[in-house]
Amino acid sequence: MEPGDDTDETSDVRVEPVGSGALLVVLGTEQDEAVRGRVRGLDEALTAEPVPGQVEVVPALVDLLVVFDPLVTDHAAVAGVVRRRLRTAARPPRTAREHRVQVCYHERLAPDLAAVAEAVGLSTEAVVAAHLAGDYDVAMYGFVPGYAYLDGLDASIEVPRKEAAVPGVPAGSVIVARSQTIVTSVTLPTGWSVLGRSPTRVLRPDDDEPFLFDVGDRVTFERIDLATFERLGTGT
Amino acid sequence: MTAASLVVERAGPLVSVQDAGRAGAMRFGVPHGGPMDRLAHGTANAAVGNDPGAAAIEVSRGGVGLRAEGGDVVVGVVGPSFHVAVGGRSRASWAVHRLRAGATLEVRVRSDDRRGAASHAWAYVAVAGGVEARSWLGSRSTHVATGLGGALLEAGLRLSVSMGGDDPAPERLGAIPTPPRSGVDHDGQPFLRVVAGPQQDRFADGAMASLLDATWTVTDRGDRMGTRLDGPRLGVRDALSIPSSPIVRGALQVAGDGVATLLHADHQTTGGYPRIATVVDADLDRAAQLPPGTRLRFGAVHPEEAVALAREDAAARSAHLDLVAAPGRTLGHRLRRANLVAGVVLG
């Protein structure tokens, strides 16, 4: 198998070798619905019926990684199965699970709300309304365990990342940058803007299912006041 | 059964408990983790009679001091270029030692290394019976950036020894056979084999040639997530418009400023910086052990070669760990027996 020239006759899919035990299946170049649907479809097909030697599958925005055990199989064999699945796995992606996540936008828990409002020329209430109006899509995980990138932020409240990261941003912070929002899973530095805090734990390390979301799920936010937030959890 | 434990007297940064790591949760942002040098970690474990993937202590160049309490503790230390002392007395850094109750094991980077850079960046301390630490997603490996799983060592922390019952076999004490270090040198410099891609199309013309032609230097900007390399800037096309994409251990990632980083066990699972090539699995332990200042080269292999190397390497590792695990009266005894074993496995 030669890298780069392995083009599927029915599409512009590329299957690239990655080191000793993985393939990157590139399903398009644009982050549009069609490409995302193909990533999700292949993810489901490979998860439901793994390729022999498959270790795991990692879906992202326009591509998907298939990790395999090189003691069991090799790049060419896995690529062959993946290509057959692409031709036959025309199934529509599963019905997305829906999550409703509570957020408190009180100024005590939203250190950057005023700055974002000023940057985009809206009132803080309008920024909150725009954040609440979104119907978000779990685009992928990354950065650290439990960091789910949610797509679908209203363009009117898009802001760039800060010049420098702020240390110690608590777990549960609801943060935004560019077209995405995240409910943070752990306390870490971030250069994203903090709009509020959720009492919902998106990462529950001791649970049998520690991750609240899977890629492809839908998320909406529901506003709660400070008293409700404090009653539901400390958010720290 | 003894209720022995190890109390941390001091620990440098990034000293943590690691077992063989956790696969299967990369889609949730969780890298496999595990030891930076899997073979050294497995060797230390096998030498004290543990499963090679048991939880053990990974020691950074910051070093560690551990005091036995509540009973004797048998430790396997694999740390070439580290100085090891047991109860204040200098001891071999590639050996199994008995740590008497109340005595301290010291592991620190050698200060008497006149050649400048030491030969290794990470040492391992395995404890007969294993050490207790938080299991998360089926693994006791510490994800250092978040503290999920395992334990990050700091002064005062007590690690219980999960001793199986009997006193560990005294014949295990002493030197540990050295592993067959995979990989090759090129003009006296470490040579890491890479598979090109997966995102060569994101690089300017000639970037792959620059990667392979240049001599690179390991910088001191490194941790369990990755190590920045000093070398030529590699031109990236449309750096800001690249969609985030999944990453593996061993990836050579190039940031918008053209600086290359080699990603390690605790790598981010996705990211927007393109990857020009990936170091083959058989060379990853060696790559992780290269201390700051090391000069190295890269050489390209085809994916089929990378798979063949992984299989050869797995067979050699398995033979080595069997050799280390077999308790013998003398090292020579063990070596003679192992040659037979290795001969059978490697054919």
Side-chain angles (χ1 to χ4, degrees):
Chain A
M1 187 174 99
E2 290 299 317
D5 63 357
D6 198 15
T7 305
D8 191 85
E9 64 274 19
T10 58
S11 69
D12 56 353
V13 172
R14 286 185 301 126
V15 181
E16 300 279 357
V18 182
S20 309
L23 289 174
L24 188 68
V25 186
V26 184
L27 292 142
T29 51
E30 299 300 320
Q31 300 180 49
D32 57 27
E33 283 299 310
V35 171
R36 192 160 294 183
R38 289 157 78 188
V39 172
R40 307 271 164 88
L42 184 59
D43 178 27
E44 278 180 48
L46 294 175
T47 301
E49 201 184 331
V51 176
Q54 177 178 315
V55 173
E56 61 185 304
V57 176
V58 189
L61 305 175
V62 300
D63 50 20
L64 171 145
L65 185 78
V66 184
V67 182
F68 62 83
D69 181 352
L71 305 188
V72 175
T73 185
D74 60 27
H75 300 82
V78 176
V81 177
V82 165
R83 288 194 171 284
R84 284 197 293 281
R85 294 286 170 78
L86 279 169
R87 282 191 286 270
T88 57
R91 71 175 88 175
R94 69 183 165 87
T95 307
R97 279 190 306 172
E98 293 183 9
H99 305 270
R100 201 156 173 80
V101 174
Q102 295 173 314
V103 182
C104 176
Y105 298 92
H106 189 276
E107 60 183 0
R108 255 181 53 196
L109 303 174
D112 300 317
L113 180 56
V116 169
E118 192 182 335
V120 301
L122 293 172
S123 66
T124 55
E125 275 307 304
V127 171
V128 169
H131 193 257
L132 284 166
D135 180 9
Y136 299 95
D137 173 74
V138 180
M140 64 167 196
Y141 275 86
F143 187 48
V144 291
Y147 248 60
Y149 291 79
L150 309 184
D151 264 5
L153 190 69
D154 193 289
S156 69
I157 58 170
E158 283 192 21
V159 289
R161 291 171 60 143
K162 298 175 189 173
E163 296 266 321
V166 175
V169 174
S173 292
V174 178
I175 62 179
V176 295
R178 292 205 258 171
S179 64
Q180 292 177 318
T181 189
I182 291 173
V183 182
T184 65
S185 55
V186 288
T187 297
L188 271 185
T190 181
W192 292 35
S193 295
V194 183
L195 294 190
R197 188 96 59 88
S198 175
T200 303
R201 299 272 68 88
V202 296
L203 170 61
R204 295 154 300 183
D206 298 326
D207 277 24
D208 289 340
E209 289 184 29
F211 305 97
L212 180 62
F213 310 130
D214 200 353
V215 173
D217 288 356
R218 311 293 300 185
V219 179
T220 52
F221 293 117
E222 174 187 339
R223 189 175 196 170
I224 55 172
D225 61 19
L226 189 60
T228 308
F229 174 83
E230 286 175 341
R231 182 164 48 77
L232 290 172
T234 62
T236 55
Chain B
M1 176 170 170
T2 51
S5 59
L6 287 172
V7 176
V8 181
E9 292 196 328
R10 67 171 196 92
L14 311 181
V15 178
S16 67
V17 172
Q18 298 292 335
D19 66 7
R22 51 178 74 80
M26 274 177 65
R27 65 184 296 116
F28 299 113
V30 186
H32 293 186
M36 293 287 285
D37 182 343
R38 299 158 299 184
L39 184 55
H41 171 273
T43 298
N45 268 317
V48 294
N50 293 349
D51 182 274
I57 298 164
E58 179 175 89
V59 184
S60 70
R61 293 165 61 80
V64 73
L66 302 163
R67 186 177 68 251
E69 286 195 356
D72 294 0
V73 177
V74 171
V75 293
V77 182
V78 173
S81 82
F82 282 74
H83 174 82
V84 173
V86 176
R89 295 177 60 182
S90 186
R91 293 298 177 94
S93 63
W94 195 291
V96 178
H97 305 288
R98 180 184 298 277
L99 191 60
R100 299 278 178 201
T104 295
L105 169 72
E106 266 287 329
V107 180
R108 60 175 187 270
V109 164
R110 268 160 42 181
S111 54
D112 61 344
D113 192 334
R114 292 204 177 81
R115 292 165 303 172
S119 62
H120 283 66
W122 301 92
Y124 292 87
V125 176
V127 179
V131 290
E132 296 285 348
R134 270 191 319 276
S135 178
W136 185 53
L137 297 177
S139 164
R140 292 185 162 76
S141 285
T142 314
H143 183 265
V144 168
T146 61
L148 288 162
L152 191 61
L153 271 63
E154 54 184 16
L157 181 76
R158 179 183 299 272
L159 292 166
S160 295
V161 176
S162 27
M163 198 80 78
D166 296 335
D167 200 33
E171 69 270 21
R172 289 196 181 278
L173 298 174
I176 302 172
T178 53
R181 188 49 81 175
S182 101
V184 287
D185 283 350
H186 190 78
D187 294 338
Q189 287 166 344
F191 185 72
L192 299 179
R193 293 162 292 191
V194 300
V195 174
Q199 293 174 304
Q200 274 182 285
D201 56 317
R202 298 291 186 179
F203 289 86
D205 293 341
M208 191 66 200
S210 295
L211 176 75
L212 300 178
D213 289 344
T215 296
W216 297 80
T217 305
V218 178
T219 72
D220 60 3
R221 299 192 58 186
D223 55 22
R224 282 184 47 86
M225 296 177 79
T227 301
R228 285 166 70 105
L229 303 177
D230 199 12
R233 297 289 185 266
L234 301 176
V236 177
R237 288 195 183 119
D238 306 325
L240 292 176
S241 66
I242 299 173
S244 280
S245 170
I247 302 176
V248 299
R249 182 177 186 170
L252 281 165
Q253 162 181 293
V254 181
D257 57 7
V259 173
T261 297
L262 171 62
L263 297 177
H264 298 311
D266 280 1
H267 64 87
Q268 297 189 22
T269 56
T270 60
Y273 295 136
R275 275 76 69 187
I276 191 167
T278 310
V279 175
V280 303
D281 196 73
D283 287 353
L284 285 180
D285 289 344
R286 183 179 206 230
Q289 284 286 20
L290 301 175
T294 309
R295 291 161 64 81
L296 67 112
R297 302 284 301 269
F298 294 105
V301 297
H302 288 291
E304 311 88 84
E305 291 177 75
V307 168
L309 288 169
R311 293 174 181 176
E312 285 170 25
D313 188 54
R317 280 164 189 255
S318 173
H320 166 71
L321 292 173
D322 285 348
L323 157 65
V324 173
R329 282 186 300 279
T330 66
L331 182 58
H333 192 93
R334 277 191 270 176
L335 285 171
R336 280 194 298 280
R337 184 168 47 203
N339 283 341
L340 294 175
V341 173
V344 170
V345 172
L346 296 172

